[in-house]
């Protein structure tokens, strides 16, 4: 019996639709954990053990800021995402939006996390815990040891020295840069107000005049690595440690006056339908084994929040492990700002970049 | 009544033709409505909203944008950069297109065109970083200059507005060359022969005949350059060293930290308005049939 072309078309279409449906259904049936994450959580070596132990697939989407996460969430349904990697400064902001699930401190190794890193100001809102610290580092000064005197870099004002004119790069992120300059001016970052902004702006314009460039992560790292510049203001272990084997002359230091500390954490979405699995994932990431892998991620290195992280001596030396107690004490976390003050700082940064 | 029947048939044919025209244009209209008009309306609504989303509609975002000197400066920087890029690209692209159209044998023209569009085959980001490596203090340009003892220290070519212009011009020369070439090969060679028969020199016939007839190609190239250049974020971000901000960079600033879509929409609408003004200024000179 011959088949008409139309019937064949219908049969083929039905077969294709059935196949697609079965793939979709099976994909839905498999247990997946959906994570909005920065690039340092994407190494198979980090995710593999968790996936195998829990028979789950970690489906991640790369974000590079809280704003990027909010943009993704704006296009998703509640429950689409289970876990979020977040700049801990934004914990309160996200919790106020009702996005984060309250967590139980007893489920996490807070005893192994330095007190300053576990500071509830960064992880909690109204006494409720929302994010768990997992990794931190510094926006301070990174430099080429063969081109500048490392001892001189211990003074925060060295970056304004005319002898480095044209050899300085500035990381293009206004929050740590403004904070760093505030420290140089002897101001306490947490007490910054509108009245401090003119002096900060003037000092930043002077820094820009000494700089060859102001650039994003990739641009400034490339500039430092290729010798286009000798100093990177806003740099830290996240720039130097990952490429230490190829560029052993790159280093960073926290000046005696202080530096800025970035800190990222993990949160569970309030709308997640897999909160237990999501919490397990957070517990795994802050475990000593996973912390070692996260600290030495192929994307960027940083200090693990858990002081029992599994790292070898060489890795600890690159991360300046021994200096951490002093560094943590001498650094300030990112500013926690109102949206209005944030806008003012952003406009100030734009004015600095436009200054001739 | 034959005359009435003929008239009815004509009306029917005319109606069918109109319906067919509408049917054929429907996909294009739907496309523009969905992907241009609707986003424009959404952006317009957003631009009137406060960031928090719980206030009344107002023009506050426009006031804040136009009241912040650094942001207004970004508009001016974008317009100036685009103007410089358009002029330099046209000046360099025209001779190239002219030689390609009139001096290169027909059989070599395709190969030459393929070479001309080679830069389009690489990623825009990769191309910008490649320029960075060329212009860097440790790059090939400085290496040559220092090897020839023209300078004893590296010269700063990268990380400034000039490097941004260079990156743009490299890309847009080829775009302009293609539109001008497409125009030049359509000009009837008899016009030039007629001018020369009437005593015009080669230069005079170029100025009086070829150049005016190639204006549509230049205008289309210039307009495409304006559209692509004024909205570009990548090139100034990589090559410009943030020595000055262009409007797309300021728009990205609004998105990257606060996801301030209302302010980003406000700025984007101003950018769209600039492009619309340029289009209105150029549209009479753009005759697409000449391309």
């Amino acid at each position: 019996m011959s088949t008409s072309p139309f019937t064949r078309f219908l049969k083929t279409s039905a077969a294709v639709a059935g196949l697609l449906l079965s793939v979709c259904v099976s994909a839905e049936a498999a247990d997946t954990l959906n994570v909005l994450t920065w690039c340092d959580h994407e190494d198979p070596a980090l995710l593999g053990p968790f996936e195998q132990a829990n028979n789950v697939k970690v489906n991640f989407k790369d974000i590079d800021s809280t704003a990027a996460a909010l943009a993704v969430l704006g296009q998703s349904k509640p429950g689409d995402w289970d876990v979020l990697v977040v700049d801990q400064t934004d914990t309160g902001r996200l919790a106020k939006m009702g996005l984060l699930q309250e967590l139980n401190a007893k489920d996490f190794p807070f005893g192994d996390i330095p007190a300053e890193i576990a500071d509830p100001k960064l992880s909690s809102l109204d006494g409720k815990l929302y994010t768990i610290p997992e990794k931190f580092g510094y926006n301070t000064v990174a430099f080429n040891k063969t081109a500048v005197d490392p001892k001189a870099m211990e003074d925060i004002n060295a970056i304004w020295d005319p002898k480095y004119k044209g050899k300085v790069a500035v990381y293009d992120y206004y929050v740590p840069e403004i904070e760093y300059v505030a420290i140089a001016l002897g101001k306490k970052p947490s007490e910054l107000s509108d009245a401090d902004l003119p002096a900060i702006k003037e000092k930043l314009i002077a820094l820009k005049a000494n700089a060859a460039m102001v650039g994003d992560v990739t641009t400034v790292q490339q500039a430092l690595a290729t010798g286009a510049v000798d100093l990177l203001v806003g740099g830290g272990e996240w720039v130097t440690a990952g490429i230490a084997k190829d560029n052993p002359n790159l280093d960073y230091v926290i000046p005696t006056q202080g530096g800025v500390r970035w800190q990222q954490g993990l949160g569970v979405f309030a709308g997640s339908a897999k909160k237990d699995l999501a919490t397990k994932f957070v517990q795994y990431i802050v475990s000593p084994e996973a912390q070692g892998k996260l600290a030495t991620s192929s994307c960027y290195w940083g200090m693990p929040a858990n002081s029992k992280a599994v790292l070898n001596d060489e890795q600890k030396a690159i991360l300046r492990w021994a200096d951490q107690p002093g560094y943590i004490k001498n650094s300030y976390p990112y500013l926690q700002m109102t949206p209005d003050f944030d806008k003012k700082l952003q406009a100030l940064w734009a004015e600095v970049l436009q200054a001739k | 009544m034959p005359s009435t029947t003929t008239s009815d048939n004509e009306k029917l044919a005319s109606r069918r033709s109109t319906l067919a025209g509408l049917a054929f244009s429907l996909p294009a209209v739907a496309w523009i409505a969905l992907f241009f008009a609707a986003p424009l309306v959404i952006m317009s609504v957003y631009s009137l909203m406060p960031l928090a989303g719980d206030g009344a509609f107002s023009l506050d975002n426009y006031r804040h944008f136009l009241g912040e000197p650094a942001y207004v400066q970004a508009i001016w920087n974008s317009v100036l950069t685009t103007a410089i890029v358009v002029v330099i690209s046209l000046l360099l692209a025209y001779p190239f297109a002219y030689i390609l159209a009139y001096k290169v044998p027909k059989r070599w023209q395709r190969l030459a065109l393929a070479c001309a569009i080679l830069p389009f085959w690489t990623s825009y980001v990769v191309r910008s970083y490649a320029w960075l490596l060329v212009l860097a203090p440790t790059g090939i340009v400085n290496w040559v200059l220092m090897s020839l003892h023209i300078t004893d220290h590296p010269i700063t070519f990268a990380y400034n507005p000039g490097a941004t212009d260079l990156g743009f011009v490299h890309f847009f020369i080829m775009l302009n060359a293609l539109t001008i070439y497409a125009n030049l090969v359509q000009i009837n060679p008899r016009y030039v022969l007629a001018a020369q028969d009437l005593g015009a020199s080669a230069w005079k016939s170029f100025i009086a005949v070829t150049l005016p007839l190639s204006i549509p190609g230049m205008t289309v190239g210039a307009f495409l350059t304006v559209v692509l250049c004024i909205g570009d974020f990548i090139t100034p971000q990589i090559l410009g060293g943030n020595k000055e901000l262009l409007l797309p960079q300021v728009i990205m600033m609004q998105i990257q930290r606060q996801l301030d879509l209302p302010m980003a929409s406000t700025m984007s609408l101003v950018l769209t308005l600039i492009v619309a003004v340029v289009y209105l200024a150029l549209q009479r000179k753009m005759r697409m049939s000449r391309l």
Side-chain angles (χ1 to χ4, degrees):
Chain A
M1 198 173 80
S2 68
T3 315
S4 74
F6 183 67
T7 311
R8 273 180 64 188
F9 171 76
L10 281 182
K11 280 183 178 173
T12 310
S13 303
V16 171
L19 187 67
L20 285 174
L21 198 62
S22 67
V23 168
C24 293
V25 169
S26 64
E28 192 63 34
D31 212 357
T32 57
L33 187 74
N34 296 312
V35 182
L36 283 179
T37 177
W38 297 352
C39 60
D40 59 338
H41 290 66
E42 297 165 9
D43 286 345
L46 173 67
L47 299 177
F50 177 78
E51 290 179 324
Q52 285 151 21
N54 295 280
N55 191 26
V56 66
K57 172 77 186 150
V58 175
N59 171 43
F60 59 79
K61 180 163 181 66
D62 196 76
I63 52 164
D64 59 4
S65 65
T66 304
L70 290 173
V72 173
L73 293 172
Q75 296 157 27
S76 312
K77 298 192 298 292
D80 277 357
W81 298 99
D82 303 301
V83 178
L84 169 74
V85 176
V86 64
D87 180 339
Q88 277 206 291
T89 310
D90 293 322
T91 299
R93 180 179 159 204
L94 296 181
K96 273 183 192 162
M97 294 167 79
L99 291 170
L100 299 178
Q101 172 67 30
E102 185 186 351
L103 300 169
N104 187 345
K106 287 178 186 162
D107 293 337
F108 305 97
F110 275 99
D112 297 328
I113 299 174
E116 294 86 346
I117 304 301
D119 188 349
K121 277 185 202 156
L122 294 169
S123 58
S124 304
L125 179 72
D126 300 332
K128 293 178 180 172
L129 176 69
Y130 288 103
T131 60
I132 309 301
E134 54 153 16
K135 191 172 177 179
F136 66 95
Y138 307 96
N139 292 112
T140 169
V141 60
F143 52 89
N144 185 334
K145 281 188 281 192
T146 59
V148 300
D149 177 12
K151 197 74 189 157
M153 294 299 111
E154 289 176 10
D155 178 6
I156 199 167
N157 293 302
I159 54 179
W160 281 276
D161 192 328
K163 74 178 175 187
Y164 300 124
K165 189 172 174 63
K167 300 304 286 179
V168 177
V170 178
Y171 173 41
D172 179 18
Y173 186 14
Y174 62 95
V175 177
E177 296 298 347
I178 287 173
E179 202 170 334
Y180 194 68
V181 167
I183 296 167
L185 287 168
K187 298 176 191 297
K188 199 174 173 189
S190 58
E191 293 170 0
L192 283 184
S193 69
D194 289 5
D196 298 312
L197 301 186
I200 290 174
K201 180 178 157 186
E202 196 181 324
K203 194 82 172 160
L204 276 168
I205 290 173
L207 176 61
K208 188 191 168 199
N210 218 31
M213 55 166 314
V214 182
D216 57 23
V217 174
T218 318
T219 310
V220 292
Q221 189 176 41
Q222 189 198 34
L224 189 63
T226 58
V229 296
D230 298 329
L231 300 177
L232 169 55
V233 182
E237 75 304 306
W238 57 274
V239 173
T240 60
I243 53 175
K245 282 189 178 159
D246 295 326
N247 292 275
N249 294 320
L250 300 186
D251 205 349
Y252 79 98
V253 71
I254 302 247
T256 49
Q257 294 91 335
V260 181
R261 188 173 73 240
W262 57 266
Q263 191 167 313
Q264 61 193 54
L266 284 161
V268 172
F269 280 113
S272 169
K274 300 166 188 166
K275 290 195 183 78
D276 288 344
L277 186 63
T279 305
K280 255 187 171 181
F281 181 74
V282 178
Q283 287 171 325
Y284 165 73
I285 292 292
V286 293
S287 69
E289 293 74 21
Q291 283 279 282
K293 289 170 187 164
L294 181 67
T296 55
S297 154
S298 61
C299 187
Y300 63 91
W301 286 34
M303 275 298 297
N306 189 331
S307 53
K308 289 187 176 161
V310 178
L311 291 165
N312 62 35
D313 290 345
E314 187 190 2
Q315 290 166 333
K316 284 185 175 180
I318 290 172
L319 283 166
R320 287 181 165 253
W321 188 271
D323 295 324
Q324 291 307 311
Y327 277 10
I328 292 172
K329 281 195 168 47
N330 199 22
S331 58
Y332 300 86
Y334 275 20
L335 297 170
Q336 290 182 297
M337 298 175 281
T338 61
D340 189 42
F341 194 60
D342 197 327
K343 275 195 161 201
K344 282 180 185 164
L345 295 194
Q346 191 164 285
L348 183 151
W349 186 243
E351 285 167 26
V352 169
L353 295 182
Q354 296 289 34
K356 300 292 179 194
Chain B
M1 304 231 293
S3 60
T4 309
T5 309
T6 309
S7 169
D8 286 348
N9 286 344
E10 280 172 357
K11 278 182 187 169
L12 193 64
S14 164
R15 202 171 298 151
R16 276 185 185 157
S17 167
T18 308
L19 283 173
L22 283 173
F24 278 119
S25 59
L26 195 61
V29 172
W31 182 272
I32 289 172
L34 268 176
F35 297 111
F36 180 71
L40 209 57
V41 171
I42 293 168
M43 274 170 49
S44 304
V45 173
Y46 259 102
S47 74
L48 300 173
M49 290 164 60
L51 174 58
D54 51 2
F57 281 9
S58 74
L59 292 172
D60 282 356
N61 289 322
Y62 290 91
R63 280 191 207 103
H64 178 61
F65 176 32
L66 298 173
E68 176 54 62
Y71 295 166
V72 175
Q73 181 67 38
I75 301 176
W76 170 243
N77 289 346
S78 284
V79 170
L80 184 66
T81 299
T82 305
I84 291 171
V85 170
V86 166
V87 170
I88 298 177
S89 299
L90 281 175
L91 285 175
L92 295 176
Y94 199 99
F96 178 77
Y98 186 90
I99 291 167
L100 200 61
Y102 297 135
K103 306 294 180 190
V104 175
K106 284 264 185 234
R107 65 178 182 281
W108 292 109
Q109 284 187 6
R110 280 190 179 185
L111 181 65
L113 273 175
C115 292
I117 60 169
L118 268 180
F120 290 92
W121 294 3
T122 56
S123 150
Y124 202 42
V125 178
V126 170
R127 205 165 43 241
S128 293
Y129 275 111
W131 269 115
L132 203 53
L133 291 175
V134 170
L135 299 174
T138 50
I140 190 166
V141 174
N142 269 307
W143 180 79
V144 169
L145 292 177
M146 289 170 75
S147 300
L148 296 173
H149 301 290
I150 294 170
T151 175
D152 57 355
H153 61 277
I155 298 172
T156 306
F157 292 113
Y159 311 126
N160 55 46
T164 302
D165 296 342
L166 182 65
F168 275 138
V169 165
H170 171 235
F171 183 74
F172 292 119
I173 281 179
M174 297 311 156
L175 186 72
N176 282 285
L178 287 177
T179 59
I180 297 167
Y181 168 82
N183 190 171
L184 288 175
V185 292
Q186 293 219 13
I187 296 173
N188 191 334
R190 288 177 184 166
Y191 294 154
V192 175
L193 289 175
Q196 290 176 351
D197 270 356
L198 292 169
S201 64
W203 175 247
K204 179 77 180 167
S205 60
F206 169 74
I207 293 293
V209 179
T210 309
L211 188 62
L213 288 174
S214 59
I215 285 176
M218 288 194 285
T219 314
V220 170
F223 180 65
L224 290 175
T225 304
V226 170
V227 172
L228 296 171
C229 183
I230 207 165
D232 186 73
F233 164 75
I234 300 290
T235 304
Q237 191 68 14
I238 295 174
L239 291 170
N242 274 318
K243 285 293 171 68
E244 63 176 30
L245 289 175
L246 304 188
L247 194 48
Q249 291 173 288
V250 177
I251 293 172
M252 284 301 287
M253 279 176 79
Q254 312 307 313
I255 301 285
Q256 281 173 332
R257 169 73 188 154
Q258 284 287 335
L259 194 66
D260 190 347
L261 293 177
M263 181 54 86
S265 298
T266 304
M267 294 176 172
S268 300
L269 281 172
V270 170
L271 192 65
T272 308
L273 186 69
I274 294 169
V275 173
V277 168
V278 173
Y279 175 76
L280 289 174
L282 295 179
Q283 56 110 7
R284 292 181 68 183
K285 300 282 183 192
M286 285 191 280
R287 285 177 232 160
M288 301 301 280
S289 58
R290 292 275 178 85
L291 300 179

